[in-house]
Structure formats: C-alpha cells, structure tokens
Amino acid sequence: TQQIVVVRAATNNVLGLVNSSSSGSGAGAGAQFISDDNAALANGDRAGFVVFGGSADTADTIVNGAGITAFATGTLSSTSAPMELRFETAPSGSTTRSTRMVIQSNGNVGIGTFSATGILDARGDEVRIWTGSGTNTNALSSGELYVEGDLEVDGTAYFGGNVGIGT
C-alpha cells in the first residue's frame, strides 16, 4: 500500500510518504521532483528544489532561509543526467539565500566555490580541521589552515613564507 499522509497537529505538521508494500534495498518511500515541459533540461536549468523557512511575523510573512536545489550541468538525455546539488543558506540579517556548498556531478564537493577542482575544495577566509576542543586562536586570518592533531603529508609539502618547527 502506498500513501501520502499529512499530519497536522498543534505542535507538528508533517508530510509523510509511506510505502508499506515492499522492503529491500530498492524499495522504500520516496519523493521525486521532476521538471517536465517536454524539452530536455540543459546546462544551468533548475530541475527541482526544497526550501526551508517559516513565518517572520503575525501577518504570516513567510521567509525561506535555507534550501537545496538541483541544477543540470549538461543536457539531459535517456542515457545521461548530469546534475549538481547546491546547498543554500541566508546569513543573519538577510533573507537572501546564497550557495554555500555544491556537490558536483563528478562527485567533487565545493565549499565556498562552485568549481571544486578536487574531491574536496574548501575556499574562504580560513580553514580549520579540528575537534573543537583545541586552541581556538589559530586560522583566524585569510589564507590560513589550522589542523589540530597530526598532519601527515605523503609526498611533497610546499611552504611559502616562514616555517616554524617546534615553536
């Protein structure tokens, strides 16, 4: 049995998709967002989106502060469907969402960039890789990288500027 269930209660409003007819690795409930105007989606076309938001006041002004959007990264065909997912958020003081992270069709992940050049490409003022329990005074300026714990380099490390060892 397949169902669409809408639960509306004072504290919880949920849209549920229920598939109780089968189980297994290829089964389960799901949702599809399909863009179909009888023309192939082309590079840059938005295929679908999910937004998250809420009421901003008692007049039911709705604002969307976060979203996940899928875009075609090439022309879709019966044998190829190149897409990327963009994760968007609005900063404090704004209702305008900006893309913060992209998962490209080739699997590369870009944080702070649309064009990741490697499996993980993080760009911004500073990058921190840490547990949160170490010193919070490192990697505070543009172009800095802070690694808490061991850093293993298998290959050649290139350093531009001063290098302090044991300091």
Side-chain angles (χ1 to χ4, degrees), residues 4 8 14 21 23 46 60-62 71 79 94 99 109 117 121 129 134 136-137 143 154 158 161 163:
I4 296 178
R8 186 172 177 107
V14 177
S21 64
S23 60
R46 185 172 71 179
D60 282 336
T61 302
I62 304 299
F71 283 90
T79 60
S94 175
T99 299
V109 175
T117 58
D121 189 343
I129 303 170
N136 194 22
T137 58
D154 186 9
Y158 297 94
V163 177

Side-chain angles (χ1 to χ4, degrees), residues 43-60:
N43 186 38
D45 288 348
R46 185 172 71 179
F49 61 94
V50 177
V51 293
F52 306 90
S55 182
D57 53 36
T58 58
D60 282 336

Side-chain angles (χ1 to χ4, degrees), residues 1-152:
T1 304
Q2 298 172 354
Q3 306 172 35
I4 296 178
V5 180
V6 178
V7 178
R8 186 172 177 107
T11 58
N12 194 13
N13 294 308
V14 177
L15 171 64
L17 304 173
V18 179
N19 178 358
S20 58
S21 64
S22 64
S23 60
S25 64
Q32 287 188 329
F33 300 92
I34 306 290
S35 179
D36 183 8
D37 63 355
N38 292 320
L41 284 180
N43 186 38
D45 288 348
R46 185 172 71 179
F49 61 94
V50 177
V51 293
F52 306 90
S55 182
D57 53 36
T58 58
D60 282 336
T61 302
I62 304 299
V63 294
N64 298 314
I68 303 170
T69 309
F71 283 90
T73 58
T75 301
L76 275 63
S77 72
S78 62
T79 60
S80 181
M83 298 256 185
E84 69 181 18
L85 288 176
R86 297 180 187 176
F87 293 79
E88 308 163 340
T89 61
S92 181
S94 175
T95 58
T96 302
R97 295 186 319 269
S98 295
T99 299
R100 309 299 181 178
M101 183 175 79
V102 175
I103 302 175
Q104 296 174 324
S105 62
N106 63 2
N108 289 353
V109 175
I111 300 173
T113 178
F114 278 103
S115 29
T117 58
I119 192 86
L120 176 61
D121 189 343
R123 300 182 194 185
D125 292 337
E126 68 276 338
V127 177
R128 296 181 192 181
I129 303 170
W130 65 315
T131 63
S133 61
T135 305
N136 194 22
T137 58
N138 296 297
L140 299 176
S141 299
S142 180
E144 293 184 347
L145 169 66
Y146 170 67
V147 178
E148 178 185 12
D150 296 337
L151 173 64
E152 181 178 326

